[in-house]
Amino acid sequence: LKSSVLAQVQKALALLASSLPHTPPASVVLYFEHHGDEAMFGIVGKDFVIIASDQQTTFSVIKMKDDYDKIWEVEGKLFAASGPSADAANFVEFIEKNIRLHTLRTGLPLSTKAAANFTRNELAHSLRKGPYQTDMLIAGYDADGPCLYIMDYLASMEKVNKAAHGYGAMFTFGLMDRYWNKDLTLAEAKDVIRKCIAELETRFVIDLGKYRCKVVDKNGTRVEDLYA
């Protein structure tokens, strides 16, 4: 009897396998195409967080733009998003409007931790409906100092001192581990990011072009010249 049931199960699995497409869905292909050729770095310093990102957007093997800003300024915080530009822009704009709505309703701005957890919760809910293929870095400055959160498209999140997304992460986590310390000045943090970019330019097969850099501290957010 057991062997008969096993044979029936094997036959059903074979029929199921034969009905599946032989190539992965387009969304899966697009995920790997769009998430790979990017680089995004975040570092927590003594009294600030700095985030740098490449500025190119691509479709398949075609470069569409090289001046696209992937770091949004939301209620005094920085939201950096990589992935397909449509998913990244739609999701961050959705989060931005809801955080702003919360501030208007309550008169109280969200802390960076609260904003990051709200974002993670919305990304987790979307996994069961219409997933966003978006990896994120969220940075802010609160009463207890600067903080940085890393989040992937599956809505896993962690508070970290340094972070990277995209293929850039494969080449640069070692450099950030080596040079990071809790008392980094802004000049030292910019130097670490320049080292990461130089490593990519040396070893990575794709030229990611220009980078945009932003800083958040007790005075708010601002664009920072990485080479000044």
Side-chain angles (χ1 to χ4, degrees):
L1 179 62
K2 289 183 179 180
S3 60
S4 175
V5 171
L6 181 59
Q8 292 178 13
V9 171
Q10 290 174 337
K11 184 178 180 181
L13 289 174
L15 287 171
L16 178 62
S18 66
S19 67
L20 293 175
H22 295 290
T23 57
S27 59
V28 177
V29 176
L30 286 175
Y31 171 78
F32 286 105
E33 287 177 353
H34 283 270
H35 277 238
D37 51 355
E38 294 183 275
M40 190 173 285
F41 314 107
I43 296 176
V44 178
K46 185 176 182 179
D47 54 2
F48 64 91
V49 182
I50 185 171
I51 293 180
S53 172
D54 73 284
Q55 297 185 78
Q56 75 173 17
T57 60
T58 61
F59 179 78
S60 184
V61 295
I62 303 169
K63 181 187 292 187
M64 307 298 289
K65 291 185 70 177
D66 63 358
D67 59 353
Y68 182 66
D69 189 357
K70 301 180 182 180
I71 308 172
W72 283 260
E73 300 175 38
V74 179
E75 294 277 303
K77 303 168 185 60
L78 296 178
F79 282 67
S82 66
S85 54
D87 276 21
N90 285 339
F91 184 67
V92 176
E93 288 173 7
F94 168 76
I95 294 298
E96 177 185 14
K97 298 304 183 288
N98 277 276
I99 290 177
R100 179 60 179 157
L101 179 62
H102 174 275
T103 303
L104 291 172
R105 280 177 170 172
T106 65
L108 300 172
L110 288 176
S111 66
T112 307
K113 180 179 180 181
N117 277 281
F118 169 72
T119 304
R120 193 213 71 78
N121 191 52
E122 292 300 321
L123 195 57
H125 277 302
S126 73
L127 285 175
R128 276 75 183 175
K129 299 181 293 183
Y132 293 96
Q133 299 167 4
T134 304
D135 296 323
M136 302 186 71
L137 299 179
I138 301 172
Y141 189 96
D142 298 324
D144 54 352
C147 51
L148 173 67
Y149 293 85
I150 186 171
M151 189 182 310
D152 69 6
Y153 75 108
L154 294 175
S156 0
M157 184 184 76
E158 188 67 34
K159 184 179 181 182
V160 293
N161 294 316
K162 52 204 177 292
H165 275 310
Y167 276 142
M170 300 181 181
F171 298 92
T172 56
F173 267 128
L175 279 170
M176 288 191 284
D177 282 339
R178 179 177 180 183
Y179 291 108
W180 182 85
N181 67 77
K182 63 180 181 179
D183 295 319
L184 274 180
T185 65
L186 180 57
E188 291 170 337
K190 287 164 66 175
D191 185 56
V192 174
I193 289 178
R194 287 195 295 267
K195 284 181 169 67
C196 292
I197 293 172
E199 187 73 9
L200 276 178
E201 291 173 344
T202 302
R203 301 181 62 196
F204 191 33
V205 69
I206 299 174
D207 178 14
L208 296 179
K210 301 177 293 183
Y211 287 76
R212 181 178 291 266
C213 181
K214 294 185 181 181
V215 170
V216 58
D217 57 19
K218 63 181 180 180
N219 299 314
T221 62
R222 66 181 185 273
V223 177
E224 186 73 25
D225 187 349
L226 195 55
Y227 294 94

